[in-house]
Amino acid sequence: MIQDPAALLAVAVEEARAGLAEGGVPIGAALFGTDGRLLGRGRNRRVQDGDPSLHAETSAFRNAGRRPTYFDTIMVTTLSPCWYCSGLVRQFGIGQVIIGEATTFSGGHDWLAEHGVRITLLDDPECVGLMSDFIRDRPELWAEDIGVEIEAT
Amino acid sequence: MIQDPAALLAVAVEEARAGLAEGGVPIGAALFGTDGRLLGRGRNRRVQDGDPSLHAETSAFRNAGRRPTYFDTIMVTTLSPCWYCSGLVRQFGIGQVIIGEATTFSGGHDWLAEHGVRITLLDDPECVGLMSDFIRDRPELWAEDIGVEIEAT
């Protein structure tokens, strides 16, 4: 069964919005089976839990619990996965990644495509808006979340 | 100050041993400052917490808490970091990785070296022994931990 990328993305966007409402980094993700079953969903929890290890994708992966393999899963995320989250996808053999946008930040999705992961890159206006506003309003938090030094203004 | 790799590795090995005693995947890690200060330590927690997102390195990273940047940190791990953990190192700009062994499993440490991370690869007999025994005794758990299908025997 072919899943509708926009329908799957909607779950990740809900997570991103919830993160924003909590004062967190507004990035959401969800892990689905290729049959469309939701396995786990999550959002960046740096602010909420003081946990730098929980990006949206790792949070969704964690919430999906233990599985033998991930070849038959789809990771959906509101933003292009950083190297940390791209490494997760590659190591665990997640077969497909659906991405809300890669305009405000571009991580390792081309690298994943080179390694056989099926990439669907949308250009979702709400995802772009969430991140554009966040980067403008909280540049220091965004820099921390991706481990870069904040640019002098 | 130049830190002694073997002394830093000893902390990661303690974590790996503790993981083994708990019935878990015997891989340990620790994040240090370049000044030798211990920032966080941890071990693989797949079995203990039912949490597939906590490899040893991500566990140590998590336990170190939030930091603005990681350029001045050293990740020490008993085993060559998988792509997930290598992605963590690259994304957060961790400057150096000390590895107990890469004989039983080789992850992304060459890739990290290409991207400017200083890699110190030891060939620690205890680390090799811990993993060799584990892979022999629990092949299904090891396959799960790195997301591969178990080889038919």
Side-chain angles (χ1 to χ4, degrees):
Chain A
M1 193 193 328
I2 303 295
Q3 305 302 322
D4 173 21
L8 302 189
L9 182 65
V11 176
V13 172
E14 281 183 6
E15 290 288 330
R17 282 190 206 124
L20 180 69
E22 292 164 343
V25 179
I27 306 175
L31 189 70
F32 290 92
T34 47
D35 60 0
R37 190 162 61 94
L38 178 63
L39 304 173
R41 56 191 290 171
R43 51 187 178 267
N44 188 300
R45 304 200 65 86
R46 174 177 296 273
V47 170
Q48 295 92 323
D49 299 347
D51 187 346
S53 78
L54 287 177
H55 274 191
E57 296 90 330
T58 52
S59 184
F61 179 80
R62 182 187 206 195
N63 289 336
R66 290 174 60 179
R67 294 178 63 83
T69 59
Y70 295 80
F71 307 116
D72 58 347
T73 66
I74 305 169
M75 179 66 82
V76 185
T77 173
T78 56
L79 182 66
S80 173
C82 79
W83 287 115
Y84 174 41
C85 298
S86 295
L88 175 88
V89 169
R90 180 168 175 189
Q91 184 62 49
F92 290 98
I94 293 170
Q96 182 177 358
V97 180
I98 295 171
I99 302 168
E101 63 106 352
T103 305
T104 63
F105 173 82
S106 184
H109 63 270
D110 286 340
W111 178 73
L112 289 175
E114 288 165 20
H115 289 283
V117 181
R118 183 174 156 203
I119 301 292
T120 303
L121 178 55
L122 305 174
D123 187 19
D124 182 83
E126 181 171 358
C127 292
V128 174
L130 278 165
M131 280 307 291
S132 298
D133 292 352
F134 171 68
I135 293 169
R136 180 196 65 212
D137 295 343
R138 301 295 307 277
E140 78 300 335
L141 181 55
W142 176 232
E144 179 190 322
D145 197 55
I146 51 173
V148 301
E149 290 185 287
I150 192 162
E151 291 168 28
T153 53
Chain B
M1 192 193 327
I2 304 294
Q3 305 301 324
D4 172 20
L8 301 189
L9 181 65
V11 177
V13 172
E14 280 182 7
E15 290 288 333
R17 281 190 209 125
L20 180 68
E22 291 164 345
V25 180
I27 306 174
L31 188 70
F32 289 91
T34 48
D35 60 0
R37 190 162 62 94
L38 179 63
L39 304 173
R41 54 191 291 171
R43 53 186 176 269
N44 188 299
R45 304 200 66 84
R46 173 176 297 273
V47 171
Q48 296 91 325
D49 299 348
D51 187 346
S53 77
L54 288 177
H55 273 191
E57 297 90 331
T58 52
S59 184
F61 180 80
R62 182 187 206 194
N63 290 336
R66 289 174 60 180
R67 296 178 61 84
T69 59
Y70 295 83
F71 308 116
D72 59 347
T73 66
I74 305 169
M75 179 66 82
V76 185
T77 173
T78 55
L79 182 66
S80 174
C82 78
W83 287 114
Y84 174 41
C85 298
S86 295
L88 176 88
V89 169
R90 180 168 175 189
Q91 185 61 48
F92 290 99
I94 292 170
Q96 183 176 356
V97 180
I98 295 171
I99 301 167
E101 62 107 352
T103 304
T104 62
F105 172 82
S106 186
H109 63 270
D110 286 340
W111 179 71
L112 290 175
E114 287 165 20
H115 289 283
V117 180
R118 184 174 156 204
I119 301 292
T120 302
L121 177 55
L122 305 174
D123 186 18
D124 182 82
E126 182 171 358
C127 292
V128 174
L130 278 165
M131 280 308 290
S132 298
D133 292 351
F134 171 68
I135 293 169
R136 182 197 62 214
D137 296 342
R138 302 295 307 277
E140 78 300 334
L141 181 55
W142 175 231
E144 180 190 323
D145 197 56
I146 51 174
V148 300
E149 289 185 287
I150 193 163
E151 292 168 29
T153 51

